[in-house]
Amino acid sequence: LGLRGLINLGNTCFMSCIVQVLIHTPLLRDYFLSDRHICTFSSPDQCIGCEISRIFQENYNDDMSPFSPHKLLHMIWTHAHHLAGYEQQDAHEFFIAVLDLLHRHLIHKTNILPSSCSCIVDTIFTGKLQSDLVCQVCQGVSTTVDPFWDISLDLPTTTTPTPNGSSQGISLQDCLQRFTQAEHLGSGAKITCSKCNAPQESTKQLTMQKLPVVASFHLKRFEHSSRLHKKITTRVDFPEVIDMTPFISHARNNVSAKKEYQGVPSNNKYVLYGVINHIGSLDAGHYTSYIRQHSDLWFHCNDHQILPASIPQVLDSEGYLLFYHKQILEYD
């Protein structure tokens, strides 16, 4: 139950794999299958929340024949024009477009400010990224905080060869370490320091001020520049369980964390539940996904075809989008 193939509507594998991950996101599944979605539109046909609710119902009924998510595709085409048409699209762009549209439709006709939204999209996917600019003269710190739905991680195009001549990969932890390490901005990018009241050299560091329930990582495999478009095939080793503690703001700044929940140890471990892979070249590629159902059952979803998979298969795959769920949830 809960496993159903999706009909490819013409180069729509990018949509199939995102839909499979969303319907296997535990809190999203619980929300829609417990009838908590209340439509504020005059017609359900206008509301993506109603459509996603229908997809959940279709996925968890007894019908095992492949399902056609054409209504969802049409909604995204209507609201995200850059994704319209039958050519292959980027699964990452589709993921963000679906979250954005669902978020906007859930707060439709409400007075909720997007910055303080507690809709199911923000409850699950929103984290907060802290950016610290440190003046290299007076050590004054300027901090800004921005929400995020996912983290895009740069990949090195070349890696150090191993003694046997093969290319050595990097780990997801390496990528996060690089993402959160302090970066010297140099003399060409001076920023006016509010304390010195003058342009000064500074360092910039990004850290996670608030971790989301679902940590989504986008490995930037597609490089687009004025001269070339290419796919980066660098191997990234990603674990089944990752501890996000080293990348939290207070941990990086060596300041003890405020214990919001007295007596409860903070647990920042995340467990993998979805992996999206891109097979082939930039121009002629195909998306498939691995999804976890229950504690240790994995399946490989390739449009209408769903086959059992093993965790070694999952961890050995290339990885383009990685989805991790927090192991322990704290409740307000």
Side-chain angles (χ1 to χ4, degrees):
L1 195 67
L3 289 170
R4 193 170 175 185
L6 297 168
I7 295 169
N8 191 317
L9 305 169
N11 286 327
T12 57
C13 54
F14 65 91
M15 173 174 69
S16 299
C17 58
I18 294 297
V19 170
Q20 291 290 5
V21 167
L22 291 177
I23 56 184
H24 289 91
T25 299
L27 286 185
L28 201 62
R29 179 191 62 212
D30 295 349
Y31 176 85
F32 280 106
L33 290 183
S34 58
D35 290 331
R36 285 170 59 198
H37 170 61
I38 299 165
C39 184
T40 56
F41 285 80
S42 55
S43 165
D45 289 339
Q46 298 173 305
C47 174
I48 193 176
C50 290
E51 179 55 23
I52 288 179
S53 180
R54 188 177 78 90
I55 289 172
F56 270 99
Q57 300 295 334
E58 289 284 353
N59 209 65
Y60 284 89
N61 66 20
D62 293 331
D63 190 348
M64 301 302 288
S65 62
F67 169 69
S68 171
H70 57 275
K71 278 192 177 179
L72 177 65
L73 182 66
H74 183 259
M75 279 185 171
I76 297 299
W77 280 6
T78 306
H79 293 89
H81 300 302
H82 64 291
L83 294 173
Y86 282 104
E87 62 273 10
Q88 181 67 272
Q89 301 292 350
D90 186 347
H92 176 245
E93 287 188 19
F94 187 81
F95 171 63
I96 296 300
V98 169
L99 290 193
D100 178 57
L101 189 58
L102 181 57
H103 162 74
R104 285 193 281 132
H105 281 196
L106 290 174
I107 61 172
H108 176 67
K109 288 187 178 176
T110 68
N111 297 319
I112 297 168
L113 293 171
S115 58
S116 58
C117 182
S118 60
C119 77
I120 193 63
V121 171
D122 284 313
T123 300
I124 296 173
F125 294 98
T126 297
K128 288 183 179 173
L129 199 62
Q130 180 171 315
S131 174
D132 292 319
L133 283 172
V134 182
C135 173
Q136 294 303 284
V137 176
C138 72
Q139 299 304 304
V141 182
S142 170
T143 299
T144 54
V145 177
D146 293 299
F148 67 86
W149 279 335
D150 71 336
I151 297 289
S152 290
L153 299 167
D154 288 313
L155 298 181
T157 51
T158 55
T159 51
T160 312
T162 58
N164 64 9
S166 63
S167 180
Q168 183 183 359
I170 58 166
S171 68
L172 178 60
Q173 288 93 328
D174 292 337
C175 293
L176 285 164
Q177 193 74 34
R178 286 168 48 151
F179 182 78
T180 54
Q181 70 186 11
E183 172 195 3
H184 190 81
L185 297 180
S187 56
K190 289 185 177 180
I191 291 170
T192 303
C193 173
S194 56
K195 287 187 180 178
C196 301
N197 207 20
Q200 305 287 15
E201 287 190 28
S202 59
T203 61
K204 179 182 179 180
Q205 185 175 24
L206 296 172
T207 49
M208 319 267 174
Q209 191 199 70
K210 175 184 175 286
L211 292 170
V213 171
V214 167
S216 316
F217 301 113
H218 165 224
L219 305 178
K220 292 161 78 172
R221 294 202 174 275
F222 304 137
E223 192 175 280
H224 301 282
S225 67
S226 55
R227 288 183 297 127
L228 80 160
H229 303 283
K230 67 172 183 176
K231 181 181 174 183
I232 299 169
T233 56
T234 303
R235 177 173 176 80
V236 178
D237 294 311
F238 50 92
E240 190 175 1
V241 176
I242 187 168
D243 188 350
M244 293 295 289
T245 303
F247 315 111
I248 297 175
S249 302
H250 65 72
R252 303 289 287 188
N253 300 340
N254 296 319
V255 178
S256 61
K258 290 178 185 172
K259 292 204 172 177
E260 287 182 65
Y261 310 98
Q262 294 299 326
V264 180
S266 60
N267 187 313
N268 302 310
K269 285 187 177 174
Y270 283 72
V271 63
L272 186 70
Y273 78 95
V275 177
I276 289 174
N277 290 293
H278 180 269
I279 305 150
S281 66
L282 203 59
D283 303 318
H286 179 63
Y287 288 103
T288 65
S289 59
Y290 287 104
I291 52 103
R292 190 184 71 146
Q293 200 194 38
H294 311 304
S295 58
D296 55 359
L297 284 177
W298 281 90
F299 292 89
H300 184 230
C301 304
N302 185 358
D303 289 327
H304 67 278
Q305 185 185 61
I306 296 180
L307 295 170
S310 65
I311 190 66
Q313 275 178 286
V314 177
L315 300 180
D316 195 46
S317 66
E318 189 178 71
Y320 175 51
L321 301 177
L322 309 174
F323 297 87
Y324 285 85
H325 201 287
K326 211 165 191 286
Q327 269 192 338
I328 294 176
L329 298 180
E330 297 95 0
Y331 290 89
D332 293 333

